[in-house]
Amino acid sequence: MQDVETQKQYVEKVKQLNENKNRKYTILTMGCQLNENDSEKLCGMIEEMGYTRAENQKDADLVVFNTCCVRENAEDKLFGKLGELKKIKESKGTIIAIGGCMMQEKHITEKLKQSYPYVDIIFGTHTLYRFPEDLYKAIEEKKKIEDVLDIDGKIYEGLPIKRDSNVKANVTIMNGCNNFCSYCIVPYVRGRERSRQPREIIEEIMHLAENGYKEVTLLGQNVNSYLRVEKEKNIPYEQFEGINSFATLLKAVNNINGIERIRFVSPHPKDFTDDVIDAIASSDKVCKLIHLPLQSGNTKVLKEMNRKYTKEQYLHLVEKMKSKIPNLKLSTDIIVGFPGETEEEFEDTLDVVKKVNFEQVFMFIYSKRVGTPGYKMTNQVPEEIKHERFNRLKELVESQIEENNKKYVGTTQKVLVEGESKTNSKMLSGRTDSNKVVVFEADKNLIGKLIDVKIESEHKWYLKGVI
Ligand code: 5AD
Ligand code: SF4
């Protein structure tokens, strides 16, 4: 692709500028796994340009932030960090580059330019592949760069990538979202849904398998509508290994030798068609922990959220999935305090949580996002009520997790060994099929292997076992 080739030339130019200078960089990533995957691509480009990772921000010649704007606290975090960086910038001339979802928001880039003029590069979600060019211009031409596109970017293939793990890998299968849930900023900052070509995905995963990777997570804002827009709008795509939907993609990935586990995030309940359920049931490598974002358990709130399913439809889907997929476990996302949510409506959420008994729940307090329909709703829930509901939900979820964890004690679990435990380097750490962290004592040569671990105790956020 011409655009990527041009960037390769800029990679070479920056590399020459950096020759024998021992240049260092740091990167801070906020938000979801899609952002983490974007950061891995940024790191790939940055390391090809001759930078190595700095242990400490103050030693860095280049500091990159890859931002998220899904919830408010991400903004506070960015502005806090920028304050800290000012001194480093003054003493060392560090190049500061800020990219990602938040940079697609006009009010944020305006604030940056006004209050943080020492930021060198602002880049958006659609221009990430152009980072080498932006960096070159910032260094060589000493320009302030603002490189943000409002239109949907193409999907760029063939960017270098520096992955965080050598056991499990994220593979983005689609970009953007067409759902416009009324609380969500993602469709505005990531643009319209567009899927990667089946061949590109399969070749990437085959390459990962050849390099010893054992687990892949397929990523997208709405993975189970993979290729849907292309089919609806007659946008040409190349059929490859019979892939023409998310279900057929899962089956094709399941056939790749060397890959032992497949995960995916996030699907949308409204698109959870029977062919996807059947593909999960019949594909032995697909983990039987499925993330199924609920958001609210009340039909009226779901309608206001533009989620396109009712409480009953969600529960019915869960029953159907449980009946077709043996040992199925579920995780979910829930927002409390959406505008207009009453006490009774919130209790419907608690009711669904009790009925489904999720393995894991990601809980969020509703946060107003500029530009979304939710922002203009006049019936916002007061902060203290939102917090009180959040705490009640948290209590319920934690008691369920404790109960569920107890069920693991005494069982033998297949664990994919990921590496040393972060808190104790004498121990190894890995995950079960259901994504529970397990720590145990073992030889490091087991890293990357799928082994049996007998669970001896549970500790809220992890399990302890012996091999
Ligand atoms: N406020 C709170 N939570 C949100 N999410 C998305 N937008 C908002 C918002 N405005 C949550 C949803 C989504 C997850 C990634 O973040 O639960 O599934
Ligand atoms: Fe946001 Fe809804 Fe799209 Fe998920 S499906 S990214 S919550 S708009």
Side-chain angles (χ1 to χ4, degrees):
M1 213 182 272
Q2 182 61 37
D3 300 331
V4 175
E5 287 308 312
T6 307
Q7 293 311 311
K8 285 192 178 146
Q9 290 164 15
Y10 280 103
V11 166
E12 286 308 313
K13 286 185 183 181
V14 179
K15 200 170 164 181
Q16 276 168 18
L17 294 179
N18 284 343
E19 210 156 12
N20 301 324
K21 291 201 176 116
N22 189 25
R23 295 281 193 224
K24 303 247 180 233
Y25 80 102
T26 60
I27 186 161
L28 176 75
T29 308
M30 301 166 184
C32 66
Q33 280 163 291
L34 278 156
N35 247 20
E36 282 169 18
N37 195 225
D38 280 350
S39 283
E40 290 179 328
K41 289 174 193 155
L42 279 166
C43 290
M45 292 188 269
I46 293 168
E47 295 198 7
E48 286 209 346
M49 289 187 279
Y51 293 85
T52 53
R53 198 99 169 210
E55 293 281 325
N56 201 310
Q57 198 162 272
K58 68 176 185 352
D59 303 324
D61 303 281
L62 168 67
V63 172
V64 183
F65 287 154
N66 189 8
T67 62
C68 164
C69 57
V70 166
R71 289 171 298 274
E72 215 154 26
N73 45 12
E75 283 156 29
D76 303 339
K77 193 168 167 189
L78 172 68
F79 293 125
K81 278 272 167 206
L82 279 177
E84 278 172 35
L85 270 183
K86 193 168 182 213
K87 278 204 194 83
I88 303 176
K89 173 84 191 175
E90 281 164 359
S91 70
K92 202 174 152 68
T94 302
I95 302 269
I96 302 177
I98 317 214
C101 294
M102 221 189 276
M103 298 307 108
Q104 297 291 138
E105 297 184 289
K106 263 256 141 29
H107 69 283
I108 299 280
T109 50
E110 287 307 317
K111 179 166 172 180
L112 275 179
K113 284 186 282 183
Q114 262 180 17
S115 310
Y116 303 87
Y118 49 92
V119 169
D120 299 282
I121 304 170
I122 293 175
F123 62 103
T125 55
H126 305 301
T127 48
L128 177 129
Y129 76 99
R130 259 190 333 231
F131 189 71
E133 181 174 350
D134 294 340
L135 181 60
Y136 178 78
K137 289 181 175 161
I139 300 174
E140 192 60 3
E141 298 167 16
K142 304 209 164 30
K143 277 190 191 158
K144 296 279 171 211
I145 309 291
E146 187 178 356
D147 189 10
V148 180
L149 274 182
D150 274 337
I151 54 159
D152 302 338
K154 289 187 230 157
I155 292 183
Y156 289 96
E157 299 291 351
L159 297 179
I161 186 156
K162 171 84 173 73
R163 295 186 184 272
D164 291 339
S165 156
N166 34 31
V167 177
K168 55 180 194 174
N170 289 327
V171 175
T172 299
I173 64 166
M174 64 193 306
N175 289 343
C177 181
N178 285 358
N179 288 327
F180 292 93
C181 301
S182 61
Y183 50 81
C184 187
I185 191 78
V186 167
Y188 307 91
V189 297
R190 288 262 172 187
R192 293 295 63 72
E193 230 171 85
R194 49 218 183 276
S195 298
R196 275 179 82 193
Q197 293 289 333
R199 179 196 288 276
E200 299 285 356
I201 298 172
I202 295 299
E203 285 181 352
E204 180 174 347
I205 300 175
M206 285 173 65
H207 186 70
L208 287 166
E210 281 158 19
N211 285 288
Y213 283 84
K214 295 287 155 50
E215 179 177 310
V216 288
T217 301
L218 309 177
L219 297 180
Q221 303 296 347
N222 191 9
V223 282
N224 50 348
S225 71
Y226 175 68
L227 287 178
R228 185 187 58 190
V229 172
E230 284 71 11
K231 282 186 282 189
E232 277 173 8
K233 299 203 170 149
N234 282 325
I235 299 169
Y237 68 92
E238 184 201 356
Q239 272 243 14
F240 182 69
E241 293 188 355
I243 300 169
N244 60 6
S245 63
F246 185 58
T248 46
L249 176 67
L250 276 183
K251 288 187 192 164
V253 178
N254 197 64
N255 286 336
I256 297 178
N257 283 338
I259 295 300
E260 302 198 33
R261 276 185 177 171
I262 304 163
R263 301 185 192 275
F264 55 87
V265 276
S266 272
H268 194 302
K270 77 175 164 60
D271 300 313
F272 228 107
T273 44
D274 288 349
D275 61 335
V276 176
I277 302 178
D278 294 339
I280 297 168
S282 65
S283 303
D284 57 329
K285 297 174 184 172
V286 175
C287 292
K288 302 305 183 257
L289 171 84
I290 306 293
H291 189 65
L292 193 65
L294 169 67
Q295 311 301 2
S296 164
N298 176 267
T299 297
K300 181 168 156 274
V301 176
L302 286 167
K303 189 159 185 4
E304 297 286 310
M305 286 177 160
N306 194 29
R307 290 292 291 174
K308 303 200 167 72
Y309 52 86
T310 63
K311 174 186 183 180
E312 289 69 31
Q313 283 168 334
Y314 186 92
L315 287 172
H316 179 251
L317 174 63
V318 167
E319 281 319 308
K320 184 159 70 174
M321 289 168 72
K322 283 185 176 169
S323 71
K324 287 193 175 186
I325 307 169
N327 300 319
L328 177 74
K329 293 184 162 69
L330 293 162
S331 61
T332 200
D333 288 348
I334 292 175
I335 299 175
V336 299
F338 183 78
E341 183 191 67
T342 64
E343 172 60 27
E344 294 74 49
E345 289 163 358
F346 169 66
E347 283 169 14
D348 269 336
T349 298
L350 296 179
D351 185 48
V352 175
V353 170
K354 280 183 201 143
K355 288 193 166 116
V356 178
N357 190 10
F358 294 104
E359 190 73 5
Q360 203 176 1
V361 181
F362 299 92
M363 296 167 275
F364 307 104
I365 291 178
Y366 172 71
S367 152
K368 258 167 89 168
R369 304 286 76 203
V370 177
T372 63
Y375 188 80
K376 292 186 223 92
M377 292 179 185
T378 50
N379 47 356
Q380 302 288 328
V381 176
E383 281 305 313
E384 63 276 15
I385 296 184
K386 287 199 270 191
H387 280 91
E388 184 259 338
R389 288 182 190 161
F390 182 85
N391 290 337
R392 276 158 65 201
L393 174 64
K394 188 161 164 255
E395 221 171 277
L396 171 64
V397 166
E398 286 185 356
S399 71
Q400 285 185 327
I401 289 180
E402 206 181 314
E403 281 308 304
N404 286 335
N405 277 355
K406 281 185 194 152
K407 293 182 199 149
Y408 283 88
V409 177
T411 65
T412 299
Q413 297 285 326
K414 283 252 173 288
V415 170
L416 178 60
V417 188
E418 289 175 12
E420 284 176 13
S421 155
K422 283 200 184 92
T423 46
N424 180 350
S425 61
K426 288 202 192 84
M427 308 282 274
L428 294 185
S429 152
R431 281 172 194 264
T432 63
D433 179 281
S434 58
N435 214 27
K436 284 266 180 234
V437 175
V438 180
V439 295
F440 49 93
E441 232 172 290
D443 197 279
K444 289 201 177 73
N445 66 18
L446 288 179
I447 293 173
K449 302 242 158 45
L450 203 56
I451 59 164
D452 283 330
V453 178
K454 179 142 191 241
I455 307 302
E456 295 202 311
S457 57
E458 61 94 8
H459 305 261
K460 201 164 174 181
W461 303 121
Y462 67 97
L463 306 169
K464 223 170 176 176
V466 287
I467 53 172

